Amino acid sequence: MLVYLLRRLGQSLFVVAAMAVLVFIGVYAIGSPIDIMISPDADQAEMEAAIARLGLDKPLWEQFFIFVGNALQGDLGKSFVYSTDAVGLILSKLPATMELAMLALIFAVFIGVPLGMVAGLRPNSLAGKSIMTGSILGFSLPNFWQGMMLILLFAVVLKWLPSGGRGDTAELFGIPFSFLTLDGLSHMLLPAINLALFKTSLVIRLARAGTREAALQDYVKFARAKGLSPHRIVLVHIAKNIMIPVVTILGLELGSMIAFAVVTESVFAWPGMGKLLIDSINLLDRPVVVAYLMLTVFMFIIINFIVDMLYCVLDPRVRLSEAKA
Amino acid sequence: MRKSTLLCAASLAAVLVSPVLASPAAAQDLTIGASAEPSALDPHYHNLGPNNAMRRHVFESMVLQDENQRLQPGLATSWKPLDDTTWEFKLREGVSFHDGSPFTAKDVIYTVCRIPNVENSPSSFTVYTKAIADMQAPDPHTLIIKTDGPYPLLPVEVSTWGVLSAAANGVTGDIGFGREGCSGTGDYPKTDDFNTGKAAIGTGMYKFGEYSRGDKIVFQRNDNYWGGKADWATVTFRPITSDGPRVAALLAGDVDMIDKPPLQDLERIKNEGFQVSQGLSNRVIYLHMDQEQEPTPGVTGTEKNPFKDVRVRKAVSMAINRDAIVARIMGGVAVPAGELLPPGMFGSTPGAGAEEYNPDAAKKLLAEAGYPEGFGLTIGSPNDRYINDAQVAQAVAQMLTRVGIETQVDAVTASTFFKRRNQYEFSMYLAGWGSGTGEMSSPLRALVATRNKDKGYGGTNRGRYSNPDLDALIDQALATVDDDKREKILQQASGVVMADYGILPLHFEVTPWAFRKGITYTPRADQYTLALGVKPTN
């Protein structure tokens, strides 16, 4: 166990270092933020002062070493645009994204798993076939388009739900959350559905495949032979055993939902991290983009780690000490 | 009985779910979906359109710019030059800040002192205060400003920054103005103090309400406003940067008004019963040509730089069908341009029409200049900065190809485009210029005056056009305090550039706004979206 943890740690550090180089060079080599940020009325002297203040007059390698030096002390830079700490800026957007991702995750699990099991237990029934057809739509239609259609239908035509924004918030531990108010919840519904559609389809397919496989296993046959009720067989013996792939995928997908909910947040003007990322890219707010990508790397490393732990809980046959890679 | 219970439950559910029903859109509230968001509520932090528009709700200037950017009295009721280097501003009496403290000349001096002291400002307002050499307040409602030399742009420049309250920021004693630093001002408020609302105390029609970055900015009516009562009790700006969702928010009734609706959606918006108002902006879209390097990087088929020849520049101008660009690519939402500032603004020439489209004459002129077979050309253009920018560049390329200049378009994202343009990588490029001051010296000085760091000329003259006659006229205009005389000189200067084809204006952008029935919005040349200009119609 300890050996495994140490090995994972070493790998993680390597990944972080490699990402730092790639991300920094990729982001800092492109374009010039000065021309976007500074008023065109500014004269040359002032432009030069701004360039010097942001450190853009130094060669790229020097900027990189300054960045690494600061990063080792936990400082990932200051936003060019807002002149506040980049990490703080990103973290201030985290709650909005997290609550959206969590709601989407709940949708994906509580809709995806039951539907997938139905499709797996009755693959040839009308219900089973419709579920599978529906899941293809969830996969193949572009996220942006799905979002716009949701807005068009529920906000523009039916006027049931708001078209975007965060709505009223209430504070929990000093952080504003939307899910605590009715108005906030109504604002969350459409973006959460939009974010969940793809994942739900994914879960449906995984759950269906798992169910079909599990239904033919000896232990299920044995349970049937023992005369257990069908309910118990489905809910305990099958459901538990199809969860490993579902947890794996959802773990990874949760990461991408939090880090890259860019499309959904843009479509629904949801003030989360994804929208911040897009706005920062448009403004060439380099420190924010770099800090964002670095935080994303950390997050994925941590999520992967938790997923590995969950395997262990779900299936005692998996032993961490034996895992390679 | 049972049916009615069900109905009752259903309607209750509808009320709970539907925000439209849950909070009936009160006639006193206004919500605006904005395409861009300010980077701070500090009025002096970032000299950029969205910030400048937003600050006008809370912080006012001594001089206001109206819809056509003509100057109007604001916190100053009148201003006049006493001599070439001294200006007198008479300040409005009976004006108070949101915290109740009275507005006096001291507040203006305090503001000018603070402007150079904003920490980490990405683009500071010192460009608009550096002409101020000295300030004196002989009485609380008179302000004397001295400049180093004759400085006619002073009233325009004081209209670009908002006035803070000295008292609200803890200054009780006298303030001594000094260019290198003021005395008696104490610690200046930080940018964050404005974002949290602590220091957001101005004289404006609206007071700070709430600011949540990326989500909303809320203003409340200032009941003690000197200029009468605001039309709206609460104004909410919601940044919705993507075009489609912004239009959807309007159609869904979540916002009352949006700015910059995409041109292709205008018909749909009108068909759904919404209204659109549009007006000429101060932004000209132009082509600039490299008139220095030889050979020039984007030209093939010749060793020379053809754009150094005025006949080639004229031929290019004649080869462009501006009416067609406006009609087909801009959907009619633009006006062909004959100079760098739209008609009606200060320094524009009445009757300055756009170049006539004449491809035959263009071909002849090219042959005369020694290019009977034409040459190859690559035009640089951004593809996400101006309305349909890359498509306009494509159209220009086709028109030039038709007269023998085989043209390709190199369209990239704005940040990359500007960097490459500033390194002189383009022999011809498409860009735009919005005149912040609303008068002709702004585009002339920035785009076509000979590059000169000391004078601050030619900052955006990346074609490196240079004409001593023009430079002399600009110098002269900027030293003429008399408005009528200055306007004549500016018109003359504009005529010199246009006759020399130093730069080729294509069209002026027209800015649309879309809003629900029951309100109106007067279009503004500076493209600002101000709740101050939104009026209920009944």
Side-chain angles (χ1 to χ4, degrees):
Chain A
M1 183 79 179
L2 188 67
V3 177
Y4 173 76
L5 280 178
L6 282 177
R7 198 191 291 145
R8 277 295 293 265
L9 193 67
Q11 285 165 352
S12 306
L13 285 179
F14 174 75
V15 170
V16 169
M19 276 301 286
V21 176
L22 285 176
V23 164
F24 189 88
I25 292 175
V27 173
Y28 273 68
I30 301 166
S32 152
I34 289 295
D35 293 292
I36 294 189
M37 267 171 46
I38 204 165
S39 155
D41 282 350
D43 52 26
Q44 276 147 298
E46 195 179 347
M47 290 223 182
E48 275 163 25
I51 289 170
R53 194 175 55 74
L54 299 178
L56 300 174
D57 52 343
K58 300 189 177 82
L60 193 61
W61 62 267
E62 203 182 329
Q63 292 183 42
F64 179 68
F65 281 110
I66 293 173
F67 164 76
V68 170
N70 289 335
L72 289 178
Q73 297 165 31
D75 173 12
L76 287 175
K78 256 186 164 188
S79 159
F80 287 171
V81 176
Y82 302 110
S83 109
T84 51
D85 174 45
V87 174
L89 186 65
I90 294 165
L91 292 183
S92 73
K93 302 290 182 189
L94 184 64
T97 299
M98 282 297 270
E99 62 173 337
L100 200 59
M102 285 302 160
L103 189 58
L105 191 70
I106 291 170
F107 282 157
V109 172
F110 286 89
I111 297 172
V113 172
L115 287 184
M117 288 180 71
V118 168
L121 291 170
R122 306 249 183 286
N124 294 318
S125 69
L126 181 66
K129 283 181 175 161
S130 335
I131 289 170
M132 291 322 286
T133 315
S135 79
I136 292 175
L137 289 181
F139 263 116
S140 46
L141 298 176
N143 209 228
F144 181 81
W145 188 83
Q146 287 176 355
M148 287 306 290
M149 285 304 121
L150 286 174
I151 292 179
L152 204 61
L153 183 62
F154 292 104
V156 176
V157 177
L158 296 172
K159 299 205 190 300
W160 286 356
L161 291 166
S163 66
R166 218 182 153 184
D168 293 341
T169 53
E171 290 202 352
L172 186 68
F173 311 122
I175 302 167
F177 283 106
S178 292
F179 73 92
L180 297 173
T181 69
L182 211 55
D183 181 54
L185 267 178
S186 74
H187 280 81
M188 281 177 80
L189 212 51
L190 285 185
I193 291 172
N194 182 229
L195 201 55
L197 272 173
F198 181 85
K199 322 290 169 203
T200 310
S201 306
L202 206 62
V203 171
I204 287 177
R205 306 207 131 225
L206 285 171
R208 175 179 180 264
T211 308
R212 293 201 68 179
E213 203 187 309
L216 301 174
Q217 297 286 324
D218 288 343
Y219 66 84
V220 174
K221 287 180 186 160
F222 182 66
R224 273 207 196 102
K226 268 204 308 188
L228 291 181
S229 73
H231 274 105
R232 193 170 161 77
I233 294 173
V234 170
L235 292 180
V236 177
H237 294 270
I238 296 183
K240 197 177 166 194
N241 282 290
I242 63 171
M243 286 312 278
I244 286 191
V246 171
V247 167
T248 311
I249 295 296
L250 282 182
L252 293 172
E253 291 289 327
L254 176 66
S256 73
M257 269 202 286
I258 296 168
F260 305 113
V262 175
V263 174
T264 297
E265 290 187 2
S266 299
V267 171
F268 291 91
W270 186 264
M273 304 198 310
K275 189 158 171 281
L276 176 72
L277 178 66
I278 280 292
D279 291 344
S280 299
I281 290 173
N282 285 335
L283 296 168
L284 271 194
D285 198 344
R286 291 168 172 172
V288 178
V289 179
V290 169
Y292 192 96
L293 294 175
M294 293 312 293
L295 285 181
T296 309
V297 171
F298 277 117
M299 191 181 68
F300 273 98
I301 288 173
I302 292 168
I303 287 178
N304 274 329
F305 188 76
I306 294 174
V307 168
D308 283 351
M309 295 291 158
L310 275 179
Y311 276 175
C312 194
V313 176
L314 283 170
D315 187 348
R317 286 175 302 170
V318 178
R319 288 214 178 73
L320 290 180
S321 54
E322 287 162 13
K324 292 191 177 111
Chain B
M1 173 66 196
R2 196 159 162 204
K3 204 172 169 188
S4 67
T5 323
L6 261 179
L7 261 177
C8 201
S11 53
L12 185 70
V15 168
L16 288 178
V17 168
S18 163
V20 182
L21 294 175
S23 58
Q28 291 279 295
D29 294 350
L30 180 73
T31 308
I32 297 175
S35 59
E37 192 187 7
S39 51
L41 287 190
D42 181 339
H44 309 134
Y45 171 70
H46 199 172
N47 176 18
L48 220 57
N51 292 50
N52 295 346
M54 209 55 76
R55 73 95 181 147
R56 293 184 55 156
H57 297 87
V58 177
F59 298 96
E60 294 181 291
S61 312
M62 286 200 288
V63 178
L64 298 180
Q65 293 189 9
D66 70 6
E67 291 87 8
N68 295 317
Q69 291 186 270
R70 294 270 173 177
L71 301 185
Q72 304 291 342
L75 289 178
T77 48
S78 68
W79 56 94
K80 60 171 190 272
L82 297 179
D83 58 52
D84 266 2
T85 58
T86 313
W87 290 76
E88 182 194 67
F89 290 83
K90 284 284 178 197
L91 303 184
R92 201 175 288 277
E93 302 199 19
V95 176
S96 56
F97 285 96
H98 297 155
D99 67 345
S101 58
F103 161 70
T104 64
K106 193 170 113 180
D107 299 306
V108 182
I109 299 175
Y110 177 76
T111 302
V112 177
C113 288
R114 191 225 173 203
I115 284 175
N117 290 298
V118 182
E119 278 173 26
N120 294 321
S121 162
S123 180
S124 109
F125 281 79
T126 48
V127 260
Y128 299 132
T129 56
K130 64 171 183 245
I132 297 174
D134 192 27
M135 301 182 94
Q136 297 292 339
D139 68 71
H141 292 99
T142 306
L143 187 69
I144 304 289
I145 299 183
K146 284 198 177 293
T147 58
D148 293 325
Y151 202 77
L153 293 185
L154 189 71
V156 179
E157 294 194 344
V158 303
S159 75
T160 58
W161 41 264
V163 177
L164 302 184
S165 161
N169 291 300
V171 177
T172 44
D174 284 336
I175 297 174
F177 180 82
R179 239 184 193 166
E180 302 307 320
C182 300
S183 58
T185 53
D187 286 339
Y188 296 106
K190 302 253 183 287
T191 296
D192 262 353
D193 295 335
F194 292 89
N195 294 339
T196 57
K198 194 177 128 208
I201 296 162
T203 60
M205 198 179 252
Y206 290 97
K207 294 192 278 196
F208 176 91
E210 186 189 342
Y211 175 39
S212 155
R213 189 175 282 156
D215 188 19
K216 62 188 165 195
I217 298 169
V218 183
F219 296 123
Q220 305 289 351
R221 173 156 58 206
N222 171 13
D223 289 317
N224 298 319
Y225 185 60
W226 57 268
K229 199 174 152 206
D231 290 308
W232 310 102
T234 308
V235 173
T236 307
F237 280 90
R238 274 187 42 202
I240 311 177
T241 39
S242 308
D243 285 345
R246 196 164 63 252
V247 173
L250 177 74
L251 297 181
D254 288 350
V255 298
D256 299 302
M257 176 166 127
I258 57 170
D259 60 10
K260 302 212 178 90
L263 298 187
Q264 59 270 23
D265 287 345
L266 288 183
E267 274 312 303
R268 160 119 210 246
I269 289 170
K270 286 180 196 160
N271 290 341
E272 300 255 340
F274 292 87
Q275 291 172 313
V276 171
S277 77
Q278 54 190 50
L280 210 51
S281 76
N282 61 19
R283 179 173 287 150
V284 62
I285 302 297
Y286 62 82
L287 292 174
H288 219 326
M289 297 151 290
D290 177 12
Q291 291 159 65
E292 178 156 313
Q293 298 177 83
E294 187 137 29
T296 177
V299 167
T300 55
T302 169
E303 283 304 298
K304 289 194 288 183
N305 178 347
F307 297 118
K308 293 183 107 168
D309 189 329
V310 65
R311 290 173 294 185
V312 174
R313 304 200 294 265
K314 185 174 181 186
V316 170
S317 186
M318 288 196 300
I320 297 169
N321 188 346
R322 291 172 175 77
D323 291 324
I325 291 177
V326 165
R328 301 215 198 103
I329 292 165
M330 302 299 289
V333 187
V335 171
E339 56 181 350
L340 296 173
L341 201 66
M345 295 181 77
F346 189 89
S348 64
T349 316
E355 180 86 33
E356 292 282 330
Y357 174 55
N358 191 343
D360 295 330
K363 271 185 205 157
K364 216 177 275 173
L365 209 52
L366 276 178
E368 218 175 278
Y371 303 97
E373 304 298 317
F375 50 88
L377 174 67
T378 302
I379 305 181
S381 166
N383 58 17
D384 54 3
R385 180 69 185 82
Y386 312 105
I387 303 174
N388 295 344
D389 39 15
Q391 290 97 306
V392 173
Q394 281 294 350
V396 168
Q398 283 173 24
M399 290 165 183
L400 295 187
T401 303
R402 213 169 295 155
V403 299
I405 306 174
E406 290 274 345
T407 308
Q408 294 174 333
V409 174
D410 183 358
V412 290
T413 187
S415 54
T416 309
F417 168 78
F418 286 123
K419 183 178 183 188
R420 291 176 58 195
R421 179 195 70 178
N422 292 354
Q423 291 166 346
Y424 304 104
E425 284 183 28
F426 301 118
S427 293
M428 179 186 276
Y429 68 85
L430 177 143
W433 181 264
S435 168
T437 57
E439 47 83 60
M440 186 59 96
S441 78
S442 156
L444 289 182
R445 213 162 24 152
L447 301 178
V448 285
T450 307
R451 281 177 70 78
N452 182 331
K453 194 172 157 183
D454 296 331
K455 288 207 273 184
Y457 281 9
T460 315
N461 181 358
R462 299 295 177 168
R464 283 176 289 184
Y465 172 73
S466 176
N467 182 341
D469 295 345
L470 173 71
D471 296 342
L473 282 170
I474 298 175
D475 284 341
Q476 197 189 334
L478 291 179
T480 306
V481 172
D482 182 315
D483 274 355
D484 293 338
K485 273 191 206 154
R486 188 170 77 257
E487 182 156 25
K488 293 238 160 50
I489 302 167
L490 287 173
Q491 288 168 348
Q492 199 187 337
S494 171
V496 167
V497 188
M498 290 303 117
D500 202 17
Y501 294 90
I503 189 168
L504 306 178
L506 292 178
H507 56 258
F508 301 113
E509 284 186 359
V510 166
T511 324
W513 286 265
F515 39 84
R516 66 167 169 82
K517 278 210 174 90
I519 59 178
T520 61
Y521 189 68
T522 316
R524 293 186 61 88
D526 52 23
Q527 303 185 310
Y528 291 171
T529 303
L530 303 179
L532 310 167
V534 184
K535 303 275 171 206
T537 47
N538 38 20

